[in-house]
Amino acid sequence: MHPHSVSTPLNEDSAAHAAAVAEEQRVLDEAFARRDGILRHLDAELAVPAGDATGHARMCMMLNHREELRCADRGLIFGRLDALDQTVLHLGRVGIPSGEEDDDPLVIDWRAPAARAFYTATPVDPQGQARRRHIRVDGREVISVDDEPLDGSGASELVGEGALLAALDERRTGRMGTAAATLQREQDDVVRADSRGPLVVQGGPGTGKTVVALHRVAYLLFTYPQLAAQGVLVLGPSQRFLDYITQVLPALGETAVVSATCDTLVPGIGVERAEPRDIAEIKGRALWQQTLSRYAASFVPRPADLELVWEGERYTIGEQRITRALASATSGHSYHAARTVFSEQIHHLLTDAIAERNEETLARMEEGFEDILGRLDAKLANSDDRAERDGRSGTDVDGELTEDDLERLHDRIATDPGVAATLHEWWPTRDPQEELRRLLGDEALLRRWAPELTDTERAMVAAEPRTRASSDIPLFDALADLLGEASPQGEQGEFLTDRAASRRDWVYGHVVVDEAQELSEMQWQMVMRRCPSRSITAVGDIDQTEAPHRHTTWEGAVGAAFGDRWAEARLTICYRTPLEVMALTGPVLRNAGSRNEPPRAVRASGVQPWERAVEEGDLEAEAARAVEDLSQRWAGGTVGVIAPLERLPALRAALPEVAVLSATDAKGLEWDATLLVDAPGIVTEPRGWNGLYVALTRCTQELGQLLVE
C-alpha cells in the first residue's frame, strides 16, 4: 500500500522513539479527521427520512456504520505492519477509507485478510513482513510505540510482547476490554477458524477463552455479513458475567448480538427456586429429549370417526379419512402445527361432504320431479338471458355448487364457532408449562414415558415443588418446541436483537457458549434448537467444571449433542494469571482428578501469594482489613473475594462495596487482586477441587488467602 522506508528497531533510543510517536500521531490525526468527516456525512444522510423499504434498509446500514465508527474511539489505530516490499499497513478497530477514491485505505479493519500477518508473522515465518509495530493510544493521542523486528533479532514466543505485557499489567476496571491489538497466534487461529460445524475450544485459566470467543463473533460477522441478518447468540454462565463482557462487541463494531444465560434464554420463563444437585443431574440427562417426544406424541388424537354439525345437519368424517389426514398433518410438524394442518384438512373434507349431500339431495329430487324439471329446463333454454338479467347462476339455477360456491362455503366453515369448538374438543391446544408440570409431578406418567429412570429417581423428581427450577428450563424449551406455538408469535422491537430475544424459536446464524463445560445435555439441546446449522463456538475448561452432571471430558460433555462431528482447538498459554499463582495449581488439578497440565504462564507479577491464619470470630474483620490493604496496593484496579457458599452472607455484610462470590459465580471474571477465604471450605463443596482451581486463578497480580483456625 503506502510506500515507506522500513525504520530500524527503536530499542532504547528515546529520540527514535519520539520520532516514531510523532509519525504515528500524524497518521492517527488523519484517521480521526477522516472518521469525523464520515460521521458528519452519515448524520446528514440520516436526517432525511426513508421513503420506501429500500431507503429504510439503507438507513439501517448507515445507522450500524455510524455506531461502528463511534465505538472505535479507543483503538482507531493500534498496529502497523512494515512489509519487505516497503509497503505499510495501519490496523485498527474499523476500516477507514482515504479521502481519495482510488487511494488505499488509511486504516484496515483488524478482521480483514490483509491484517492476518499482524497476528501470525514470526521471525521464523515473517510472511513477507519486516516489522510489526504496536501503537498504544489514549483517545486521540499516541502515547508509545513498540517495534518488533521479524528478522530474528528480537525473537519472542509472544506477538508484540511489550504491548501485550503492558496491557496485562493495566488495572482491571470491572469490565472486559478488547484485545484486537494483542491477540496471539494460537488465539487468532481460533478467531479465524472455519465457522462450519461445532468448534470446542479448551483453555485453562487466563488463556483468553472469552476474549477469543468474542473476537471470533466480531470476525465472523465481518467476514460473513449474512450472519448479521440472523444475529449471534452469546450464552454466558451468569448475568454478572454478561455485564462484565457487555462492552466488548460494541467496541469491536458489532451490535447484532443477543446475550443470555441458559436460565434467561426462553422469553417469559425464569427460575423460581433453587434445587438439589442430584435432581439437577437427573433432569439434565439427554434421555429427557426422547421422554418428552414420546409424551408429546401421546397428545395426538387416535383415528376415529369425527362427527360435525353444519346448519343443523350432522356429518361424519370416517375413520379411514381421519387416518390419512392425521398421517399427513403430523409428518414433520409440531403438535400445534399439525393441529392447524389437520383442521384445514377437516374444513375441506366437511366442505366436500356438504357438497356431496347437496348433490345427493338434488338427485333424489330429480327422480320425483323429472317432468317438472324437464319443463323448467325447456323454459330456461328458451330464456337464456333471464338468469343473466336476474344475476342468477350456479345453484340459483341448477342446484350444483360452483368453485366459487365451494370456496365461500369453505371459508364459512373455517370461521364457524361450532366447527372450531368440535375440533378443539377433539384435538385441544396444550400449554407446555401445564403439561410439563403434570408429567414431572406424576410418578405413573414418569414410569410410562421415562422408563430409563429408576423408581428412586422418579420418586425424587415427582416429590419436587412444582415451581420452576433451573433444570426445568431446558425441559420446558424441549416440550414447547415439540408442541409448537398454538398461535403465531409476533416480533417485538425495531432492532434485530429485540426481535430475536422476544422469540423462543428464533434461529441464529452462530452461537457462542462460554463456560461450555457447565452445560447439561438438555441445555445443549436448547443450543442446538437455536442453531440447526451447528455453527457453534464452545469455549471452556473441562478442569473448571462444577456443574452436577457427571462428565469429565469434552467427549462426555458434548457427545450427546454433537456426536463425533466436532473439532477441538486448545489454548495453552496463560496470559492473565501470573507465574507465582499458577505454580499453586498443579496439585489442585491432580486432586480434582484431571490428567491435564495447567496452562503455561508467560508473565510474573513479582508478588508472591500469601496466607494468613485468622480466628473464626475475627474472620469478617480480618477480611475487611485485607481487602483495604489490597485496594490500596492496587489503587485504580479491582479486588474480588471468593469464599465457600456458607460464608458469603456474613462476608457480604462486612464488605458491602466489594464483589464477594462463590467459586462458581467467579467463573470467567478477573480482578487485579483476589482474596481467597477458607480454601478448605471450598474443597468440601461438590466438585470442590475444581472450584478451588477456579478461585486460585482469578487475579492478574496478587493472591492472598485467609485460613480459618
Side-chain angles (χ1 to χ4, degrees):
M1 292 189 173
H2 302 295
H4 290 274
S5 60
V6 178
S7 56
T8 57
L10 300 180
N11 297 324
E12 301 300 323
D13 188 333
S14 59
H17 184 268
V21 168
E23 178 185 12
E24 300 305 342
Q25 184 67 58
R26 288 191 293 273
V27 177
L28 183 63
D29 290 343
E30 184 180 1
F32 265 109
R34 179 68 179 136
R35 194 282 305 255
D36 294 345
I38 295 172
L39 281 175
R40 288 192 296 271
H41 174 74
L42 287 171
D43 287 339
E45 290 286 309
L46 289 167
V48 180
D52 53 23
T54 301
H56 181 73
R58 179 172 173 270
M59 183 167 287
C60 288
M61 291 177 62
M62 289 191 294
L63 282 168
N64 289 335
H65 187 39
R66 182 177 67 176
E67 186 65 18
E68 182 180 55
L69 290 170
R70 280 182 170 175
C71 290
D73 273 7
R74 186 178 179 186
L76 189 66
I77 292 178
F78 58 70
R80 165 174 159 169
L81 275 173
D82 290 55
L84 290 170
D85 64 3
Q86 298 191 334
T87 61
V88 170
L89 290 177
H90 280 88
L91 285 71
R93 294 273 180 85
V94 297
I96 303 293
S98 66
E100 300 298 325
E101 186 174 336
D102 296 332
D103 284 355
D104 294 322
L106 291 174
V107 184
I108 64 169
D109 194 294
W110 69 273
R111 298 163 289 188
R116 182 91 197 265
F118 185 80
Y119 303 102
T120 58
T122 66
V124 176
D125 178 24
Q127 300 173 28
Q129 307 302 318
R131 184 186 66 181
R132 175 171 35 230
R133 170 175 286 179
H134 284 264
I135 304 166
R136 298 187 68 202
V137 302
D138 183 6
R140 298 186 178 223
E141 180 183 359
V142 177
I143 56 177
S144 70
V145 298
D146 178 35
D147 278 356
E148 183 183 359
L150 296 172
D151 58 3
S153 60
S156 167
E157 67 174 322
L158 301 177
V159 171
E161 181 175 11
L164 173 64
L165 296 181
L168 292 171
D169 282 336
E170 289 179 351
R171 296 291 181 265
R172 269 36 194 176
T173 64
R175 293 290 178 91
M176 178 176 283
T178 63
T182 55
L183 284 174
Q184 300 299 293
R185 180 163 189 158
E186 70 172 11
Q187 295 175 323
D188 189 69
D189 287 343
V190 173
V191 168
R192 298 173 196 262
D194 194 333
S195 65
R196 292 171 296 182
L199 175 66
V200 175
V201 182
Q202 161 63 31
T207 55
K209 300 181 295 295
T210 301
V211 164
V212 166
L214 297 178
H215 285 68
R216 177 164 168 75
V217 170
Y219 169 77
L220 292 176
L221 286 167
F222 175 84
T223 307
Y224 307 104
Q226 66 272 20
L227 290 181
Q230 297 174 271
V232 172
L233 171 65
V234 174
L235 276 181
S238 66
Q239 187 57 51
R240 181 185 288 271
F241 172 84
L242 295 178
D243 292 341
Y244 175 61
I245 68 171
T246 187
Q247 68 183 26
V248 176
L249 286 167
L252 291 172
E254 299 303 344
T255 55
V257 179
V258 174
S259 298
T261 69
C262 285
D263 287 348
T264 63
L265 186 54
V266 181
I269 301 295
V271 174
E272 299 167 331
R273 63 176 174 88
E275 64 184 328
R277 287 175 64 87
D278 52 359
I279 299 294
E281 188 278 322
I282 293 169
K283 287 158 67 175
R285 297 176 193 169
L287 66 88
W288 287 95
Q289 190 64 45
Q290 280 301 109
T291 293
L292 294 168
S293 294
R294 294 189 291 258
Y295 184 51
S298 73
F299 299 153
V300 176
R302 297 296 175 257
D305 289 352
L306 176 59
E307 188 175 87
L308 297 155
V309 176
W310 179 254
E311 294 187 343
E313 295 190 45
R314 296 185 180 277
Y315 295 85
T316 299
I317 311 297
E319 181 178 334
Q320 189 173 1
R321 288 185 173 181
I322 294 295
T323 300
R324 289 197 297 268
L326 281 171
S328 173
T330 56
S331 178
H333 293 119
S334 66
Y335 174 86
H336 285 122
R339 180 183 182 275
T340 299
V341 173
F342 178 81
S343 297
E344 180 61 22
Q345 291 179 329
I346 294 302
H347 297 156
H348 284 293
L349 290 172
L350 179 56
T351 300
D352 292 342
I354 294 170
E356 288 173 7
R357 184 173 296 183
N358 184 67
E359 291 174 3
E360 291 172 359
T361 301
L362 286 174
R364 287 196 300 271
M365 290 175 62
E366 286 180 358
E367 290 176 4
F369 300 100
E370 288 182 358
D371 56 336
I372 298 174
L373 290 173
R375 289 195 296 273
L376 177 60
D377 287 341
K379 183 177 181 181
L380 289 173
N382 294 325
S383 306
D384 288 337
D385 62 332
R386 186 175 303 170
E388 182 178 344
R389 254 193 337 265
D390 296 342
R392 294 178 296 164
S393 63
T395 56
D396 294 329
V397 177
D398 57 16
E400 293 184 1
L401 296 174
T402 66
E403 290 297 323
D404 288 343
D405 294 328
L406 291 171
E407 186 175 340
R408 284 192 292 271
L409 175 60
H410 172 272
D411 292 344
R412 289 175 58 206
I413 290 171
T415 57
D416 183 74
V419 173
T422 300
L423 288 174
H424 187 272
E425 182 179 357
W426 200 79
W427 191 329
T429 56
R430 304 272 181 169
D431 182 280
Q433 294 190 68
E434 293 179 4
E435 299 302 340
L436 180 63
R437 195 175 292 120
R438 186 164 69 95
L439 172 66
L440 297 181
D442 190 324
E443 282 191 66
L445 285 176
L446 288 171
R447 187 175 299 107
R448 181 178 182 185
W449 302 116
E452 300 90 344
L453 297 178
T454 67
D455 288 342
T456 300
E457 290 170 338
R458 284 190 285 268
M460 291 169 64
V461 171
E464 282 292 285
R466 298 280 66 84
T467 49
R468 198 179 305 110
S470 178
S471 65
D472 293 320
I473 304 292
L475 302 186
F476 168 83
D477 190 64
L479 186 56
D481 186 68
L482 290 163
L483 295 181
E485 301 298 332
S487 57
Q489 277 190 296
E491 294 183 356
Q492 303 175 8
E494 178 182 355
F495 299 103
L496 178 140
T497 50
D498 297 326
R499 297 196 303 273
S502 71
R503 291 284 298 269
R504 189 203 60 78
D505 57 351
W506 189 273
V507 172
Y508 292 90
H510 191 79
V511 175
V512 168
V513 184
D514 206 311
E515 302 296 344
Q517 75 279 355
E518 304 297 338
L519 268 63
S520 71
E521 291 172 329
M522 285 305 294
Q523 287 173 327
W524 275 116
Q525 292 296 327
M526 293 177 71
V527 174
M528 298 288 283
R529 276 189 286 279
R530 283 155 180 81
C531 193
S533 68
R534 297 193 175 195
S535 180
I536 297 168
T537 301
V539 301
D541 180 7
I542 205 69
D543 292 323
Q544 294 186 55
T545 305
E546 293 183 90
H549 49 60
R550 297 170 181 170
H551 61 249
T552 58
T553 65
W554 281 114
E555 289 78 7
V558 302
F562 301 156
D564 58 0
R565 299 176 62 184
W566 54 281
E568 182 176 7
R570 287 184 170 267
L571 300 174
T572 61
I573 301 173
C574 174
Y575 307 100
R576 175 189 67 213
T577 312
L579 282 162
E580 296 89 344
V581 175
M582 288 305 295
L584 304 176
T585 61
V588 174
L589 271 185
R590 288 192 291 275
N591 285 326
S594 171
R595 297 187 298 273
N596 299 322
E597 289 296 320
R600 180 168 52 88
V602 294
R603 57 180 284 272
S605 66
V607 182
Q608 288 296 325
W610 52 266
E611 296 179 359
R612 185 183 306 156
V614 300
E615 297 288 339
E616 180 73 47
D618 298 331
L619 178 60
E620 287 76 26
E622 289 295 331
R625 186 175 299 111
V627 167
E628 178 64 25
D629 291 344
L630 291 170
S631 298
Q632 290 180 3
R633 276 199 294 280
W634 303 106
T638 57
V639 177
V641 178
I642 303 177
L645 283 166
E646 64 181 4
R647 295 194 181 276
L648 295 180
L651 287 168
R652 285 171 176 166
L655 299 163
E657 303 300 321
V658 180
V660 180
L661 304 173
S662 67
T664 299
D665 289 339
K667 197 176 269 100
L669 305 179
E670 63 179 31
W671 302 283
D672 293 272
T674 301
L675 180 67
L676 176 54
V677 177
D678 189 12
I682 291 177
V683 170
T684 64
E685 296 177 341
R687 292 208 178 189
W689 287 107
N690 302 79
L692 182 58
Y693 183 51
V694 173
L696 288 172
T697 54
R698 298 303 97 197
C699 70
T700 64
Q701 303 292 349
E702 181 175 354
L703 171 68
Q705 296 193 56
L706 296 183
L707 301 177
V708 184
E709 292 184 332

